[in-house]
Amino acid sequence: MVLANMPFNRMVSTTEHNTTFYLKRRHGYGWIPRLLTNRIHTHFHVLSQREWFAREQFIYAKVYRKRATVESGWLKLEALPGLSLDHILGCPHQHQPIKFRSLAAAIRALHDLHEHTIQPIAQATNMFSHSDATIRNVTYDSHADRAWWFDFETVHASHRPQAWCFADDLRVLLYSAVPLLSEAEMEVLAHLGVTTYPDVSVLWSLRQLAIRIRQHPDAFHFAQTRINTQCNALFSAILLRALDTVGHYSNPVQV
């Protein structure tokens, strides 16, 4: 829990020729939470600053066609369109259709990223997974009905099966949205997760993760998603009911 509240990075914004950019780099003490995190957690790794910068540049340039450079030790990223999903869901006056369109777009965008092969990193496979796909790391552009993921400084460990990594991303997205939703909205969220993400093997892995999280949730899950015990148990049950409607699971992956 302490590590979850210990920021790794510094960030400032700047505007050039009417275009907003974000400048990011590690705090001077950033190696400490990185070292501790990588020793404690076995299913993902925090990248070094060099690896993180390279990963962000690759995704922004090759996938998003956006500008990403390194200047004077700072990672300079062109701002992505829209508002962050946590801002949208957390707005007390937000209309429900916008909430659900933004969530569906985030799920679609996550699947689109999962379809990409990216430059290999020693600790990870070359298929993309986010590993920290919370609602705080994605924006939604309502005009284009498109979501954009960002903050790619962690990777799933290479020993994890691909379907497990993709399911873990979906777990983080869905569960991190729950604290900002009503129980009725949780039902819709679970339905969106099952019907929008098209890979049945990933949904099978998500089902196994939901069973484990319901029975034996860990501190990292709570810190990452910011969900409480009561909501975790409630949404796990809701999600499992939705996942049980999937007609056929193939290639099950044990977790």
Side-chain angles (χ1 to χ4, degrees), residues 190-214:
H191 177 75
L192 277 177
V194 170
T195 58
T196 306
Y197 198 94
D199 190 323
V200 175
S201 66
V202 173
L203 295 178
W204 172 267
S205 294
L206 178 63
R207 182 176 182 272
Q208 293 180 295
L209 284 172
I211 291 171
R212 180 180 63 78
I213 290 165
R214 185 185 187 187

PDB file of all heavy atoms in Angstrom, residues 190-214:
ATOM      1  N   ALA A 190     -20.104  -5.272 -16.129  1.00  0.00           N
ATOM      2  CA  ALA A 190     -19.762  -6.675 -16.321  1.00  0.00           C
ATOM      3  C   ALA A 190     -20.234  -7.162 -17.689  1.00  0.00           C
ATOM      4  O   ALA A 190     -19.512  -7.882 -18.395  1.00  0.00           O
ATOM      5  CB  ALA A 190     -20.384  -7.524 -15.218  1.00  0.00           C
ATOM      6  N   HIS A 191     -21.443  -6.757 -18.077  1.00  0.00           N
ATOM      7  CA  HIS A 191     -21.964  -7.135 -19.396  1.00  0.00           C
ATOM      8  C   HIS A 191     -21.087  -6.555 -20.504  1.00  0.00           C
ATOM      9  O   HIS A 191     -20.784  -7.249 -21.497  1.00  0.00           O
ATOM     10  CB  HIS A 191     -23.403  -6.637 -19.537  1.00  0.00           C
ATOM     11  CG  HIS A 191     -24.015  -6.905 -20.883  1.00  0.00           C
ATOM     12  ND1 HIS A 191     -24.443  -8.163 -21.269  1.00  0.00           N
ATOM     13  CD2 HIS A 191     -24.247  -6.078 -21.945  1.00  0.00           C
ATOM     14  CE1 HIS A 191     -24.917  -8.111 -22.497  1.00  0.00           C
ATOM     15  NE2 HIS A 191     -24.816  -6.853 -22.928  1.00  0.00           N
ATOM     16  N   LEU A 192     -20.651  -5.296 -20.348  1.00  0.00           N
ATOM     17  CA  LEU A 192     -19.776  -4.682 -21.345  1.00  0.00           C
ATOM     18  C   LEU A 192     -18.466  -5.454 -21.480  1.00  0.00           C
ATOM     19  O   LEU A 192     -17.983  -5.687 -22.589  1.00  0.00           O
ATOM     20  CB  LEU A 192     -19.463  -3.228 -20.951  1.00  0.00           C
ATOM     21  CG  LEU A 192     -20.474  -2.154 -21.318  1.00  0.00           C
ATOM     22  CD1 LEU A 192     -20.006  -0.805 -20.773  1.00  0.00           C
ATOM     23  CD2 LEU A 192     -20.671  -2.083 -22.814  1.00  0.00           C
ATOM     24  N   GLY A 193     -17.888  -5.821 -20.341  1.00  0.00           N
ATOM     25  CA  GLY A 193     -16.629  -6.553 -20.382  1.00  0.00           C
ATOM     26  C   GLY A 193     -16.733  -7.851 -21.152  1.00  0.00           C
ATOM     27  O   GLY A 193     -15.857  -8.194 -21.955  1.00  0.00           O
ATOM     28  N   VAL A 194     -17.826  -8.576 -20.930  1.00  0.00           N
ATOM     29  CA  VAL A 194     -18.015  -9.890 -21.548  1.00  0.00           C
ATOM     30  C   VAL A 194     -18.365  -9.773 -23.030  1.00  0.00           C
ATOM     31  O   VAL A 194     -17.914 -10.584 -23.848  1.00  0.00           O
ATOM     32  CB  VAL A 194     -19.107 -10.676 -20.787  1.00  0.00           C
ATOM     33  CG1 VAL A 194     -19.509 -11.927 -21.534  1.00  0.00           C
ATOM     34  CG2 VAL A 194     -18.618 -11.030 -19.386  1.00  0.00           C
ATOM     35  N   THR A 195     -19.157  -8.774 -23.377  1.00  0.00           N
ATOM     36  CA  THR A 195     -19.635  -8.675 -24.764  1.00  0.00           C
ATOM     37  C   THR A 195     -18.718  -7.848 -25.665  1.00  0.00           C
ATOM     38  O   THR A 195     -18.757  -8.020 -26.888  1.00  0.00           O
ATOM     39  CB  THR A 195     -21.050  -8.058 -24.800  1.00  0.00           C
ATOM     40  OG1 THR A 195     -21.023  -6.759 -24.172  1.00  0.00           O
ATOM     41  CG2 THR A 195     -22.044  -8.954 -24.077  1.00  0.00           C
ATOM     42  N   THR A 196     -17.907  -6.969 -25.094  1.00  0.00           N
ATOM     43  CA  THR A 196     -17.066  -6.091 -25.909  1.00  0.00           C
ATOM     44  C   THR A 196     -15.706  -6.706 -26.188  1.00  0.00           C
ATOM     45  O   THR A 196     -15.170  -6.554 -27.289  1.00  0.00           O
ATOM     46  CB  THR A 196     -16.888  -4.719 -25.229  1.00  0.00           C
ATOM     47  OG1 THR A 196     -18.172  -4.165 -24.924  1.00  0.00           O
ATOM     48  CG2 THR A 196     -16.120  -3.752 -26.122  1.00  0.00           C
ATOM     49  N   TYR A 197     -15.140  -7.393 -25.202  1.00  0.00           N
ATOM     50  CA  TYR A 197     -13.845  -8.036 -25.438  1.00  0.00           C
ATOM     51  C   TYR A 197     -14.088  -9.367 -26.145  1.00  0.00           C
ATOM     52  O   TYR A 197     -14.763 -10.244 -25.604  1.00  0.00           O
ATOM     53  CB  TYR A 197     -13.085  -8.256 -24.131  1.00  0.00           C
ATOM     54  CG  TYR A 197     -11.608  -8.497 -24.371  1.00  0.00           C
ATOM     55  CD1 TYR A 197     -10.706  -7.446 -24.327  1.00  0.00           C
ATOM     56  CD2 TYR A 197     -11.124  -9.761 -24.698  1.00  0.00           C
ATOM     57  CE1 TYR A 197      -9.356  -7.646 -24.591  1.00  0.00           C
ATOM     58  CE2 TYR A 197      -9.782  -9.965 -24.972  1.00  0.00           C
ATOM     59  CZ  TYR A 197      -8.899  -8.909 -24.901  1.00  0.00           C
ATOM     60  OH  TYR A 197      -7.575  -9.114 -25.183  1.00  0.00           O
ATOM     61  N   PRO A 198     -13.526  -9.583 -27.348  1.00  0.00           N
ATOM     62  CA  PRO A 198     -13.970 -10.694 -28.193  1.00  0.00           C
ATOM     63  C   PRO A 198     -13.244 -12.020 -28.006  1.00  0.00           C
ATOM     64  O   PRO A 198     -13.645 -13.015 -28.617  1.00  0.00           O
ATOM     65  CB  PRO A 198     -13.712 -10.158 -29.605  1.00  0.00           C
ATOM     66  CG  PRO A 198     -12.503  -9.283 -29.445  1.00  0.00           C
ATOM     67  CD  PRO A 198     -12.631  -8.653 -28.082  1.00  0.00           C
ATOM     68  N   ASP A 199     -12.186 -12.072 -27.192  1.00  0.00           N
ATOM     69  CA  ASP A 199     -11.358 -13.279 -27.112  1.00  0.00           C
ATOM     70  C   ASP A 199     -11.840 -14.166 -25.957  1.00  0.00           C
ATOM     71  O   ASP A 199     -11.693 -13.813 -24.780  1.00  0.00           O
ATOM     72  CB  ASP A 199      -9.895 -12.886 -26.904  1.00  0.00           C
ATOM     73  CG  ASP A 199      -8.944 -14.064 -27.058  1.00  0.00           C
ATOM     74  OD1 ASP A 199      -9.312 -15.179 -26.646  1.00  0.00           O
ATOM     75  OD2 ASP A 199      -7.831 -13.864 -27.573  1.00  0.00           O
ATOM     76  N   VAL A 200     -12.373 -15.340 -26.301  1.00  0.00           N
ATOM     77  CA  VAL A 200     -12.944 -16.222 -25.283  1.00  0.00           C
ATOM     78  C   VAL A 200     -11.876 -16.764 -24.344  1.00  0.00           C
ATOM     79  O   VAL A 200     -12.124 -16.941 -23.145  1.00  0.00           O
ATOM     80  CB  VAL A 200     -13.714 -17.379 -25.972  1.00  0.00           C
ATOM     81  CG1 VAL A 200     -14.220 -18.373 -24.933  1.00  0.00           C
ATOM     82  CG2 VAL A 200     -14.879 -16.827 -26.767  1.00  0.00           C
ATOM     83  N   SER A 201     -10.674 -17.033 -24.840  1.00  0.00           N
ATOM     84  CA  SER A 201      -9.618 -17.552 -23.970  1.00  0.00           C
ATOM     85  C   SER A 201      -9.232 -16.526 -22.907  1.00  0.00           C
ATOM     86  O   SER A 201      -8.893 -16.885 -21.779  1.00  0.00           O
ATOM     87  CB  SER A 201      -8.397 -17.958 -24.791  1.00  0.00           C
ATOM     88  OG  SER A 201      -7.779 -16.840 -25.391  1.00  0.00           O
ATOM     89  N   VAL A 202      -9.291 -15.254 -23.270  1.00  0.00           N
ATOM     90  CA  VAL A 202      -9.013 -14.191 -22.303  1.00  0.00           C
ATOM     91  C   VAL A 202     -10.134 -14.109 -21.273  1.00  0.00           C
ATOM     92  O   VAL A 202      -9.886 -13.944 -20.071  1.00  0.00           O
ATOM     93  CB  VAL A 202      -8.823 -12.839 -23.020  1.00  0.00           C
ATOM     94  CG1 VAL A 202      -8.700 -11.691 -22.018  1.00  0.00           C
ATOM     95  CG2 VAL A 202      -7.589 -12.889 -23.910  1.00  0.00           C
ATOM     96  N   LEU A 203     -11.376 -14.256 -21.718  1.00  0.00           N
ATOM     97  CA  LEU A 203     -12.505 -14.237 -20.785  1.00  0.00           C
ATOM     98  C   LEU A 203     -12.436 -15.422 -19.821  1.00  0.00           C
ATOM     99  O   LEU A 203     -12.813 -15.305 -18.650  1.00  0.00           O
ATOM    100  CB  LEU A 203     -13.825 -14.244 -21.553  1.00  0.00           C
ATOM    101  CG  LEU A 203     -14.097 -12.996 -22.420  1.00  0.00           C
ATOM    102  CD1 LEU A 203     -15.414 -13.150 -23.156  1.00  0.00           C
ATOM    103  CD2 LEU A 203     -14.084 -11.726 -21.581  1.00  0.00           C
ATOM    104  N   TRP A 204     -11.964 -16.570 -20.307  1.00  0.00           N
ATOM    105  CA  TRP A 204     -11.773 -17.712 -19.411  1.00  0.00           C
ATOM    106  C   TRP A 204     -10.748 -17.378 -18.328  1.00  0.00           C
ATOM    107  O   TRP A 204     -10.964 -17.662 -17.144  1.00  0.00           O
ATOM    108  CB  TRP A 204     -11.315 -18.933 -20.206  1.00  0.00           C
ATOM    109  CG  TRP A 204     -10.911 -20.082 -19.325  1.00  0.00           C
ATOM    110  CD1 TRP A 204      -9.655 -20.373 -18.868  1.00  0.00           C
ATOM    111  CD2 TRP A 204     -11.767 -21.078 -18.760  1.00  0.00           C
ATOM    112  NE1 TRP A 204      -9.669 -21.495 -18.073  1.00  0.00           N
ATOM    113  CE2 TRP A 204     -10.957 -21.950 -17.984  1.00  0.00           C
ATOM    114  CE3 TRP A 204     -13.133 -21.342 -18.841  1.00  0.00           C
ATOM    115  CZ2 TRP A 204     -11.480 -23.031 -17.289  1.00  0.00           C
ATOM    116  CZ3 TRP A 204     -13.639 -22.441 -18.157  1.00  0.00           C
ATOM    117  CH2 TRP A 204     -12.826 -23.260 -17.397  1.00  0.00           C
ATOM    118  N   SER A 205      -9.658 -16.788 -18.723  1.00  0.00           N
ATOM    119  CA  SER A 205      -8.634 -16.409 -17.748  1.00  0.00           C
ATOM    120  C   SER A 205      -9.157 -15.352 -16.785  1.00  0.00           C
ATOM    121  O   SER A 205      -8.834 -15.373 -15.593  1.00  0.00           O
ATOM    122  CB  SER A 205      -7.386 -15.887 -18.470  1.00  0.00           C
ATOM    123  OG  SER A 205      -6.762 -16.912 -19.207  1.00  0.00           O
ATOM    124  N   LEU A 206      -9.962 -14.432 -17.296  1.00  0.00           N
ATOM    125  CA  LEU A 206     -10.576 -13.426 -16.429  1.00  0.00           C
ATOM    126  C   LEU A 206     -11.503 -14.086 -15.413  1.00  0.00           C
ATOM    127  O   LEU A 206     -11.551 -13.682 -14.244  1.00  0.00           O
ATOM    128  CB  LEU A 206     -11.354 -12.410 -17.266  1.00  0.00           C
ATOM    129  CG  LEU A 206     -12.093 -11.324 -16.480  1.00  0.00           C
ATOM    130  CD1 LEU A 206     -11.115 -10.443 -15.693  1.00  0.00           C
ATOM    131  CD2 LEU A 206     -12.944 -10.465 -17.431  1.00  0.00           C
ATOM    132  N   ARG A 207     -12.210 -15.106 -15.840  1.00  0.00           N
ATOM    133  CA  ARG A 207     -13.095 -15.835 -14.919  1.00  0.00           C
ATOM    134  C   ARG A 207     -12.293 -16.448 -13.779  1.00  0.00           C
ATOM    135  O   ARG A 207     -12.682 -16.374 -12.602  1.00  0.00           O
ATOM    136  CB  ARG A 207     -13.863 -16.915 -15.685  1.00  0.00           C
ATOM    137  CG  ARG A 207     -14.856 -17.713 -14.843  1.00  0.00           C
ATOM    138  CD  ARG A 207     -15.627 -18.686 -15.741  1.00  0.00           C
ATOM    139  NE  ARG A 207     -16.610 -19.416 -14.977  1.00  0.00           N
ATOM    140  CZ  ARG A 207     -16.372 -20.563 -14.341  1.00  0.00           C
ATOM    141  NH1 ARG A 207     -15.142 -21.098 -14.395  1.00  0.00           N
ATOM    142  NH2 ARG A 207     -17.329 -21.179 -13.680  1.00  0.00           N
ATOM    143  N   GLN A 208     -11.157 -17.064 -14.098  1.00  0.00           N
ATOM    144  CA  GLN A 208     -10.321 -17.665 -13.062  1.00  0.00           C
ATOM    145  C   GLN A 208      -9.740 -16.601 -12.132  1.00  0.00           C
ATOM    146  O   GLN A 208      -9.648 -16.807 -10.914  1.00  0.00           O
ATOM    147  CB  GLN A 208      -9.211 -18.488 -13.712  1.00  0.00           C
ATOM    148  CG  GLN A 208      -9.745 -19.722 -14.445  1.00  0.00           C
ATOM    149  CD  GLN A 208      -8.635 -20.533 -15.078  1.00  0.00           C
ATOM    150  OE1 GLN A 208      -7.965 -20.059 -15.993  1.00  0.00           O
ATOM    151  NE2 GLN A 208      -8.419 -21.739 -14.581  1.00  0.00           N
ATOM    152  N   LEU A 209      -9.361 -15.457 -12.696  1.00  0.00           N
ATOM    153  CA  LEU A 209      -8.881 -14.359 -11.862  1.00  0.00           C
ATOM    154  C   LEU A 209      -9.981 -13.858 -10.928  1.00  0.00           C
ATOM    155  O   LEU A 209      -9.723 -13.582  -9.750  1.00  0.00           O
ATOM    156  CB  LEU A 209      -8.388 -13.205 -12.749  1.00  0.00           C
ATOM    157  CG  LEU A 209      -7.033 -13.378 -13.415  1.00  0.00           C
ATOM    158  CD1 LEU A 209      -6.778 -12.250 -14.404  1.00  0.00           C
ATOM    159  CD2 LEU A 209      -5.920 -13.431 -12.376  1.00  0.00           C
ATOM    160  N   ALA A 210     -11.199 -13.730 -11.452  1.00  0.00           N
ATOM    161  CA  ALA A 210     -12.315 -13.244 -10.623  1.00  0.00           C
ATOM    162  C   ALA A 210     -12.628 -14.210  -9.486  1.00  0.00           C
ATOM    163  O   ALA A 210     -12.954 -13.781  -8.361  1.00  0.00           O
ATOM    164  CB  ALA A 210     -13.553 -13.024 -11.498  1.00  0.00           C
ATOM    165  N   ILE A 211     -12.522 -15.501  -9.745  1.00  0.00           N
ATOM    166  CA  ILE A 211     -12.737 -16.495  -8.684  1.00  0.00           C
ATOM    167  C   ILE A 211     -11.692 -16.325  -7.588  1.00  0.00           C
ATOM    168  O   ILE A 211     -12.012 -16.301  -6.390  1.00  0.00           O
ATOM    169  CB  ILE A 211     -12.687 -17.918  -9.262  1.00  0.00           C
ATOM    170  CG1 ILE A 211     -13.898 -18.175 -10.165  1.00  0.00           C
ATOM    171  CG2 ILE A 211     -12.629 -18.964  -8.146  1.00  0.00           C
ATOM    172  CD1 ILE A 211     -13.819 -19.466 -10.957  1.00  0.00           C
ATOM    173  N   ARG A 212     -10.434 -16.187  -8.003  1.00  0.00           N
ATOM    174  CA  ARG A 212      -9.364 -16.021  -7.002  1.00  0.00           C
ATOM    175  C   ARG A 212      -9.522 -14.723  -6.233  1.00  0.00           C
ATOM    176  O   ARG A 212      -9.366 -14.693  -4.997  1.00  0.00           O
ATOM    177  CB  ARG A 212      -8.005 -16.046  -7.698  1.00  0.00           C
ATOM    178  CG  ARG A 212      -6.841 -15.869  -6.725  1.00  0.00           C
ATOM    179  CD  ARG A 212      -5.509 -15.896  -7.428  1.00  0.00           C
ATOM    180  NE  ARG A 212      -5.339 -14.809  -8.373  1.00  0.00           N
ATOM    181  CZ  ARG A 212      -5.040 -13.550  -8.024  1.00  0.00           C
ATOM    182  NH1 ARG A 212      -4.912 -13.233  -6.743  1.00  0.00           N
ATOM    183  NH2 ARG A 212      -4.885 -12.626  -8.943  1.00  0.00           N
ATOM    184  N   ILE A 213      -9.844 -13.638  -6.944  1.00  0.00           N
ATOM    185  CA  ILE A 213      -9.982 -12.333  -6.299  1.00  0.00           C
ATOM    186  C   ILE A 213     -11.155 -12.324  -5.325  1.00  0.00           C
ATOM    187  O   ILE A 213     -11.105 -11.685  -4.273  1.00  0.00           O
ATOM    188  CB  ILE A 213     -10.157 -11.237  -7.368  1.00  0.00           C
ATOM    189  CG1 ILE A 213      -8.848 -11.036  -8.133  1.00  0.00           C
ATOM    190  CG2 ILE A 213     -10.612  -9.929  -6.751  1.00  0.00           C
ATOM    191  CD1 ILE A 213      -9.010 -10.257  -9.408  1.00  0.00           C
ATOM    192  N   ARG A 214     -12.209 -13.062  -5.679  1.00  0.00           N
ATOM    193  CA  ARG A 214     -13.358 -13.121  -4.775  1.00  0.00           C
ATOM    194  C   ARG A 214     -13.022 -13.896  -3.509  1.00  0.00           C
ATOM    195  O   ARG A 214     -13.424 -13.519  -2.402  1.00  0.00           O
ATOM    196  CB  ARG A 214     -14.538 -13.790  -5.494  1.00  0.00           C
ATOM    197  CG  ARG A 214     -15.821 -13.806  -4.691  1.00  0.00           C
ATOM    198  CD  ARG A 214     -16.909 -14.588  -5.416  1.00  0.00           C
ATOM    199  NE  ARG A 214     -18.185 -14.479  -4.749  1.00  0.00           N
ATOM    200  CZ  ARG A 214     -19.271 -15.167  -5.102  1.00  0.00           C
ATOM    201  NH1 ARG A 214     -19.206 -16.016  -6.128  1.00  0.00           N
ATOM    202  NH2 ARG A 214     -20.403 -15.015  -4.449  1.00  0.00           N
TER     203      ARG A 214
END
